[in-house]
Amino acid sequence: VKQEETEQREEKLARLKARVQELRRQRDELRAKVDLQQKGQLGKAGVVSDAAQPSAQAVLEWKIKSVKAMLQVFYLTGISGKLTKQGVCFCISTAYEGTYLDSYYLDLLTKPEVRIHRHSVPTFIPLEQIAKKHLETDIRRFLSVLADHLNAYVGRRHQADQLQEHFSDQIEGTLQRNSLCNLLVFNYNLSSRSKTFPFNARLLYGDLCCSLPTEVTVSCT
C-alpha cells in the first residue's frame, strides 16, 4: 500500500511539473506577443508613442488568462477557485491517506490591494500570520502554506477520531485533545496473566504542518 501511494504521489508530481512547464510556455508566448506589438508600433524616431502601450483590454485579458492558469495548477493540488466580481474565491479540499475530509473557503479581494474578505478557516489556524507573511508578496506560497496547516489539522483530528472509535474498549474514559488537535492525552489498559496495567499516553505535535507526533510520552501508573 505504501509503495502504491508513493507511485501515485510521483505520478501526480510528474503531472504537476508538466502542467507548470506548459503554463510557463504559454506565459512566454504571451510576453513575446506583447513585445512584438510594442515593437511594431514604434515611431520612426524610435520613440514609443502612446498607442504603443498595451491597451487596457489587452492587459485585462492577460491577467485573466494568468489567473485562470494559476487556478488550474491549484486544482491539481487540491485547491480550486473561481473569479468573482471583486477578486477570487478559493476552495481548499483536505484529505488524509486518501480519505476526503473537509473543504475550507477563502474569499479574496484584489482591489485596491489583495486582502481577505471572508473565510471558513477555523480560528485556531494561524491565518493572520500566514497572510501577513505571504499574501501580498506570493499568493501561491500563501495558499500552499495554508493548505499544509489545514491538511495537517484534519489529519490529526481524523486520527484522534479513529482512535476513539476503533479502540474504545481499551481506552479508559474520553480521549482529551485541544481544538488544534496538536496535543492528545488518553489512558488505556493492557492485561497480562490476569493482571491489568494502566498506561497514560501523551502525544505532542510540535510541527503544526505535520500530521504525525513529534514527541510521545508513555507512562505506567
Side-chain angles (χ1 to χ4, degrees):
V1 172
K2 291 296 183 182
Q3 182 178 357
E4 183 179 354
E5 291 177 352
T6 301
E7 292 175 354
Q8 291 177 352
R9 286 195 296 267
E10 291 177 351
E11 292 177 358
K12 183 177 180 179
L13 180 60
R15 292 196 301 268
L16 288 175
K17 289 182 178 179
R19 182 58 182 167
V20 169
Q21 291 178 355
E22 175 64 19
L23 292 174
R24 287 176 177 172
R25 184 187 65 79
Q26 294 178 7
R27 178 200 62 189
D28 294 339
E29 288 181 356
L30 289 172
R31 288 179 175 175
K33 290 179 181 180
V34 172
D35 292 339
L36 289 175
Q37 182 182 8
Q38 291 179 345
K39 291 179 180 179
Q41 294 177 346
L42 284 173
K44 295 182 179 180
V47 179
V48 180
S49 62
D50 293 338
Q53 300 299 325
S55 65
Q57 181 66 24
V59 173
L60 179 60
E61 291 178 355
W62 182 84
K63 287 184 177 181
I64 291 176
K65 289 181 178 179
S66 299
V67 172
K68 287 183 176 180
M70 181 181 65
L71 294 180
Q72 178 64 21
V73 171
F74 284 145
Y75 177 76
L76 297 174
T77 59
I79 304 176
S80 59
K82 63 179 181 180
L83 299 177
T84 63
K85 293 182 179 180
Q86 297 177 316
V88 184
C89 181
F90 288 100
C91 173
I92 301 177
S93 300
T94 60
Y96 180 73
E97 293 188 344
T99 301
Y100 170 78
L101 297 173
D102 297 328
S103 293
Y104 300 93
Y105 296 89
L106 191 70
D107 195 1
L108 300 181
L109 302 179
T110 57
K111 296 179 181 180
E113 59 184 13
V114 180
R115 67 185 188 277
I116 299 174
H117 178 48
R118 52 190 175 186
H119 65 86
S120 62
V121 177
T123 56
F124 42 79
I125 298 294
L127 176 60
E128 185 176 346
Q129 292 89 327
I130 299 173
K132 185 177 181 180
K133 188 175 182 180
H134 300 293
L135 182 57
E136 295 186 3
T137 57
D138 190 345
I139 189 172
R140 297 189 182 189
R141 179 62 178 167
F142 164 72
L143 290 172
S144 177
V145 173
L146 179 58
D148 289 343
H149 275 268
L150 290 172
N151 274 286
Y153 157 66
V154 298
R156 296 191 299 266
R157 187 192 63 190
H158 181 68
Q159 292 178 76
D161 292 339
Q162 293 293 301
L163 179 63
Q164 185 75 50
E165 178 181 350
H166 296 295
F167 298 94
S168 59
D169 57 333
Q170 297 181 23
I171 295 178
E172 181 181 347
T174 304
L175 184 145
Q176 302 176 34
R177 50 181 163 175
N178 58 356
S179 57
L180 196 53
C181 289
N182 66 327
L183 178 61
L184 304 180
V185 179
F186 57 93
N187 298 317
Y188 63 98
N189 297 317
L190 289 180
S191 299
S192 177
R193 296 180 181 179
S194 71
K195 292 184 179 180
T196 301
F197 299 89
F199 285 88
N200 174 267
R202 181 179 184 272
L203 281 65
L204 176 65
Y205 299 78
D207 185 356
L208 296 182
C209 291
C210 184
S211 57
L212 295 178
T214 57
E215 180 181 335
V216 178
T217 303
V218 178
S219 59
C220 180
T221 57

